[in-house]
Amino acid sequence: MVMSVWRDLAEVPEGLRTVVTIGNFDGVHRGHQQLIRMCSDLARKKDALAVAITFFPHPVQVHAPQRNLKLITTLVDRLDALAGYGIDATLVLNYNEALYLQTPREFIANISKALGVQGIVVGEDMKFGAGNSGNISTLRSLGGEFGFDVVALPDIVDETGTRWSSSWVRELLEEGEVAEAARVLGRPHRIRGVVKHGHKRGRELGFPTANLEEDCDGVIPADGVYAGWLTRQVADAPAGVFLPAAISVGTNPQFDGVHRTVEAHVLGRSDLDLYGEKIAVSFVKRLRGMKKFASVDELLQQMDEDIRDSASVLGVAVAGRVDPEAVTAG
């Protein structure tokens, strides 16, 4: 079944019975996934739809724009993940003044009436309503008033006692710990952006790259070289075509660059023309930090090693440098 997406309460069909989970769900990490599973399980028991309520833009982007918060996942990826983990429908509420000034009772009354809420599944630290004045006790009281059950999930922690959270994922990405971030997310972290023209030094060296600027969607990990995947969206492959890649993040210190970019070299391919195409880049493992080498020859030796290491990490055949004359991109 294809997940329904509603952008306003007015779009919600009448006569529904739902079990709801509420949150920003940035990253849809394993803590979120547990909430979703509990929501879905309770919905099945109540013969109801499992519905996620999420917000766009993120509240921090509205209340504290100076923090320049970048979302871990785009809204598109967030919706895809919610659908993949068992949500039947998602209500995306515009996080604006009309919404965030609602009292806790007004907010719950509105969604309860529109969605026919039979149950709400949330983390036990949930805050909602104007000034975050509502908490789980408030929600339980409102559940008694409006006739729905409340299930509160305690914080989910890993074996070290660290709480699964979007903040933790961001910290790991800022440190370049993409493999650990993938463990928290339950999948490799990815960003999206449009491929732009660069200096074309990569192709001259035998490593043509698809270049994304720093303004792409998603949190860019720390500078360094990574093994990962470049994904293209094509008509006959709805899930995308995954191509193994060695990925460089940084300012290209070898050539005294100043602009931070993401450059993905698809292993062994010289026939890709991706300019102007929106792609996704997924990060599987950090291979090394970024550095300036004593010579271009030394850099090339390291890049040869990088693509061998990437192939090993990704479980694909090793490919060497490509012939610069064979590169077909414009």
Side-chain angles (χ1 to χ4, degrees), residues 103-216:
T103 67
R105 188 181 186 281
E106 287 171 337
F107 175 71
I108 294 299
N110 289 338
I111 66 170
S112 177
K113 179 181 178 181
L115 292 165
V117 174
Q118 307 299 304
I120 295 182
V121 180
V122 292
E124 64 180 9
D125 61 348
M126 180 198 187
K127 299 288 192 297
F128 65 102
N132 282 336
S133 55
N135 57 25
I136 196 66
S137 297
T138 313
L139 187 60
R140 291 190 190 281
S141 176
L142 292 169
E145 178 180 351
F146 292 106
F148 57 79
D149 297 331
V150 175
V151 177
L153 183 67
D155 281 348
I156 302 174
V157 299
D158 77 345
E159 60 275 7
T160 68
T162 305
R163 176 177 177 268
W164 301 110
S165 71
S166 302
S167 297
W168 186 20
V169 174
R170 285 191 187 87
E171 291 170 5
L172 291 169
L173 294 174
E174 288 171 2
E175 297 166 359
E177 299 291 344
V178 296
E180 182 69 359
R183 186 176 73 87
V184 182
L185 290 168
R187 64 193 181 282
H189 172 63
R190 69 181 173 185
I191 62 174
R192 294 181 184 271
V194 176
V195 178
K196 301 180 180 180
H197 287 274
H199 295 289
K200 297 183 171 60
R201 293 192 187 99
R203 74 161 67 185
E204 295 169 1
L205 299 174
F207 303 96
T209 59
N211 301 330
L212 305 180
E213 299 293 336
E214 197 171 9
D215 61 356
C216 60

Side-chain angles (χ1 to χ4, degrees), residues 232-241:
R232 303 181 72 185
Q233 299 300 318
V234 295
D236 56 353
V241 175

